[in-house]
Structures are given as structure tokens and as C-alpha cells.
Amino acid sequence: QVQLVESGGGLVQPGGSLRLSCAASGFTLDDGTIGWFRQAPGKEREGVSCISGRLYSTYYADSVKGRFTISRDNAKNTVYLQMNNLKPEDTAVYYCAAATGRTHFDKRDYRYWGQGTQVTVSS
């Protein structure tokens, strides 16, 4: 059974940083894609970043390019999202999700989802 557990959210001031973690069990990171999505109140869930396959291919939404970095530790079966220079518009619940094979942000491809972690950027 696949389980994804996010952690690392919290309250941070604009310009600050947070690192989110997604601990996966029952899922082989090399064989699929782990994506980070976020959902702000009243908005649709949107893709933020993803990492795929043995080559660690990465992909980012335009809104986070240059500020967020996705990485992976296969030994810990964990994917990280380092978020720097956070802005109030980054405030959302952040979810990690797992897909078999390679994909970007099509939510229909992601079969497994975590429970989410709240990120609030405010002064």
C-alpha cells in the first residue's frame, strides 16, 4: 500500500524559506513521478514541481522557477521541496502525489496523494 506523508509546513514571513518533505512508502521513486501541488482557498489545485525517474528529471511551474528546488533522497525514499524567497501568494496547502511512469502536472496521472501540509506566508 502506497503512503505519502508531507511535513515541513508552517508560518513564514515574506522572503523566508521552508523545506517540505514527502516521505513515501510502498512506492519506488525511480519508477515514477513525485509531484508537489498546492491549493489556496477558493482556487484549483495546481502543480508546483515534480521529479521523475532514474535521471531525476525535474519540472517547475513558471511561478516558482528560480525560487523552489525539488530534490530526492532514494535512500530515505523522500522527496523535498526547498522553497526560498516565499511570497504571500505561495500560501496554500501543499500536497505531494505519486504517479507511475513519467508525467508533469496532469492530476489524473497521480493515483496517490498525501494529506497536505499548510504553508502560510505572512508578515
Side-chain angles (χ1 to χ4, degrees):
Q1 184 177 355
V2 176
Q3 268 195 315
L4 303 172
V5 179
E6 303 98 334
S7 62
L11 172 64
V12 64
Q13 291 187 341
S17 298
L18 283 174
R19 189 178 80 156
L20 305 183
S21 299
C22 173
S25 58
F27 186 83
T28 303
L29 298 183
D30 277 350
D31 294 341
T33 299
I34 296 291
W36 283 100
F37 292 79
R38 66 186 181 188
Q39 188 166 18
K43 294 189 176 182
E44 286 193 13
R45 192 171 298 188
E46 63 175 1
V48 175
S49 183
C50 58
I51 187 165
S52 301
R54 287 177 170 80
L55 296 181
Y56 291 54
S57 300
T58 59
Y59 189 77
Y60 297 91
D62 287 343
S63 58
V64 306
K65 278 181 184 175
R67 300 189 298 124
F68 290 12
T69 303
I70 193 169
S71 62
R72 199 171 88 193
D73 185 337
N74 277 16
K76 296 182 179 180
N77 226 42
T78 299
V79 174
Y80 304 97
L81 185 68
Q82 177 67 44
M83 306 187 295
N84 297 331
N85 190 23
L86 282 161
K87 305 176 181 181
E89 52 264 42
D90 295 318
T91 295
V93 177
Y94 282 71
Y95 300 89
C96 69
T100 55
R102 186 170 176 173
T103 187
H104 287 164
F105 295 150
D106 189 338
K107 292 187 286 293
R108 296 170 298 178
D109 292 334
Y110 290 87
R111 182 176 178 183
Y112 308 100
W113 292 81
Q115 293 301 305
T117 185
Q118 176 70 47
V119 171
T120 302
V121 184
S122 174
S123 54

